[in-house]
Amino acid sequence: MATTYTIAELAREFDITARAIRFYEDQGLLSPMREGQGGRNRVYTPRDRTRLKLTLRGKRLGLTLSEIKSIIDMYETPKDTVAQINRFLGVLAHQRETLEQQRADIEMSLAEISVHEEECRRLLAESDAAGTLLGEDAGEKDAA
């Protein structure tokens, strides 16, 4: 008999919740068999385990679930692997472009934050200097 997995085993192995696995099932990424009374128990095959692993890898790359499903489904019917690889390269190139734009946006935001921090520090330094002078003037007036 082929190796099978329970939802708890997969959740533990991949350090995710059973709820996440059920969500991926609802999205059509996994299709476990059903066993037990009324088909209440999900039974996952090595194919489901591999699809879950690829789904999690795709999420780490920042792909959407529909992109992940499209890529995984391409490999279900290995007719033209060159076309599949080219499509995957296209998805990866698009994701790289998106991430590089996000990085540029983040770097710009960080530069703006630095400018604002410097301005705030300058204002505080001026305020401290003015406060010290005002405090000294007030002390001199009290002494007179």
Side-chain angles (χ1 to χ4, degrees), residues 90-123:
V91 168
L92 290 175
H94 178 263
Q95 188 60 21
R96 175 181 297 279
E97 184 179 307
T98 299
L99 290 172
E100 287 176 353
Q101 181 59 54
Q102 288 174 350
R103 178 176 28 196
D105 292 344
I106 289 169
E107 287 173 2
M108 187 181 307
S109 293
L110 288 171
E112 287 179 30
I113 288 171
S114 293
V115 167
H116 291 298
E117 286 174 334
E118 287 177 29
E119 179 67 11
C120 288
R121 287 188 182 99
R122 185 188 62 75
L123 290 171

Side-chain angles (χ1 to χ4, degrees), residues 10 13-14 16 24 29-30 46-60 68 72:
L10 290 178
E13 178 180 351
F14 292 104
I16 59 175
Y24 296 141
L29 291 158
L30 306 173
R47 174 187 173 272
D48 291 311
R49 183 187 171 280
T50 298
R51 288 178 68 94
L52 178 58
K53 184 177 183 178
L54 293 172
T55 297
L56 297 173
R57 184 176 296 158
K59 282 184 52 74
R60 281 193 305 277
I68 293 167
I72 292 174

Side-chain angles (χ1 to χ4, degrees), residues 24-25 28-34 43-45 47-48 51:
Y24 296 141
E25 181 182 338
L29 291 158
L30 306 173
S31 54
M33 299 177 294
R34 300 293 186 137
V43 179
Y44 296 90
T45 63
R47 174 187 173 272
D48 291 311
R51 288 178 68 94

